[in-house]
Amino acid sequence: MLWLTIALGAEIETRTLEVDGQVWTYHAVAAGADRPLVLTLHGGGGDGKGYLEKNHWAAVGATERWNVVAPDGLAARPGMPASFRTNPRVWNSGQLRKGSPRERIDDLRFFRQLLSTVPWDRKHLFITGHSNGGSMTFRLARELNAQVTAIAPVLTQYLQDGTPLARPIPSLHFIGTVDPLIPVAGGERSTPWGRSSVKPQAEAIENWARANGHRAGGKVVSETSTIRKERFGNHYQVWWLVGHGHAYPGGRASGLPPGTMGPNTTPVDATRESAAFFRGFIKR
């Protein structure tokens, strides 16, 4: 209830930014130019303001005195009104159909402009995101490597290859063991927008471990009936949420049916754990 009370009192500012003729919207809890920045990226069909409120990131901004920014992805059919069912907001994280209008938009140009526009201390940039926002989190860690301090992708997978990063990025990665939208074994999946396929999580995990300079094969450091924690070298942690599906861990329910999202069972609060992870990398 404390987080809810603080969230209700947190002022969320909504602003727009035009990049290459596209008007982007972002929502922010501002703490000042001398404070860290957390970018939070919604999943496909979501929006930034809802992500701040439903998953308590607005409360984190208020309690920690961090700048927390949640942009809206552009609609799959750019220029048309966004709609969860027929024209969802998405990120160009590597999963879009090659040559499609949305795939041709350079999200990285937007993020670079955003980072030069919003206030932050230029020493601490943290990124987290759920589902499609999580895969965009991985992409930003690769593409904006020199600026990123740490990341916390949630119920997603890394879509690029294992080419080494310019510098390792500390990463806390949450995975649901029975996630129907990103099945651990990979293969075909059914989403609210049709059928597609994903690679096995073991392959995606190995690629990110190699990108961070670690050999394949993690070490289980703790295990209970609800969570298994695995480490890959010094920079990459995977938390396997046992029996959990695709719902944001610890957030408010999305309203989508269990047949789409799978079970929502984990006691883990991904926002609280991500904030604690980020806090460990703040230096004054």
Side-chain angles (χ1 to χ4, degrees), residues 37 111-118 120 122 125 144 147:
L37 170 61
F111 279 105
R112 290 189 177 101
Q113 184 64 39
L114 179 68
L115 291 175
S116 68
T117 301
V118 300
W120 59 293
R122 301 305 192 269
L125 171 59
L144 305 178
Q147 294 177 273

Side-chain angles (χ1 to χ4, degrees), residues 178-223:
V178 292
D179 186 338
L181 296 183
I182 307 180
V184 170
E188 192 172 76
R189 60 179 180 172
S190 179
T191 78
W193 309 285
R195 303 189 73 83
S196 60
S197 62
V198 297
K199 68 180 72 173
Q201 280 287 26
E203 179 184 340
I205 289 169
E206 179 181 345
N207 282 342
W208 187 246
R210 286 194 292 114
N212 270 290
H214 307 314
R215 295 180 178 178
K219 178 182 179 182
V220 176
V221 294
S222 69
E223 186 168 11

Side-chain angles (χ1 to χ4, degrees), residues 90-262:
V90 294
W91 303 106
N92 189 357
S93 64
Q95 87 291 358
L96 298 175
R97 179 171 55 83
K98 296 297 182 183
S100 66
R102 181 65 183 87
E103 191 271 340
R104 290 197 295 268
I105 295 174
D106 187 354
D107 290 23
L108 293 176
R109 288 178 66 85
F110 161 68
F111 279 105
R112 290 189 177 101
Q113 184 64 39
L114 179 68
L115 291 175
S116 68
T117 301
V118 300
W120 59 293
D121 66 8
R122 301 305 192 269
K123 295 182 296 183
H124 302 103
L125 171 59
F126 304 105
I127 311 177
T128 182
H130 176 217
S131 193
N132 173 228
S135 57
M136 193 68 200
T137 295
F138 277 122
R139 186 180 179 201
L140 291 177
R142 174 172 284 286
E143 301 285 350
L144 305 178
N145 181 265
Q147 294 177 273
V148 179
T149 307
I151 63 172
V154 181
L155 307 179
T156 189
Q157 66 177 201
Y158 173 59
L159 301 178
Q160 284 76 47
D161 62 23
T163 303
L165 300 169
R167 50 182 280 276
I169 298 292
S171 310
L172 174 59
H173 185 186
F174 301 90
I175 296 176
T177 62
V178 292
D179 186 338
L181 296 183
I182 307 180
V184 170
E188 192 172 76
R189 60 179 180 172
S190 179
T191 78
W193 309 285
R195 303 189 73 83
S196 60
S197 62
V198 297
K199 68 180 72 173
Q201 280 287 26
E203 179 184 340
I205 289 169
E206 179 181 345
N207 282 342
W208 187 246
R210 286 194 292 114
N212 270 290
H214 307 314
R215 295 180 178 178
K219 178 182 179 182
V220 176
V221 294
S222 69
E223 186 168 11
T224 69
S225 61
T226 58
I227 184 170
R228 183 172 79 254
K229 298 180 181 180
E230 190 174 11
R231 279 186 176 273
F232 295 79
N234 297 323
H235 302 106
Y236 185 23
Q237 301 179 45
V238 177
W239 286 20
W240 299 89
L241 309 181
V242 179
H244 188 75
H246 198 69
Y248 188 91
R252 297 212 312 261
S254 67
L256 293 173
T260 297
M261 301 293 282

Side-chain angles (χ1 to χ4, degrees), residues 14-27 42 71-75 90-92 102 105-111 113-114 136:
T14 297
R15 298 175 180 172
T16 58
L17 188 62
E18 184 172 345
V19 181
D20 293 340
Q22 299 289 338
V23 178
W24 299 74
T25 302
Y26 64 94
H27 314 272
H42 65 76
D72 292 338
L74 294 183
V90 294
W91 303 106
N92 189 357
R102 181 65 183 87
I105 295 174
D106 187 354
D107 290 23
L108 293 176
R109 288 178 66 85
F110 161 68
F111 279 105
Q113 184 64 39
L114 179 68
M136 193 68 200

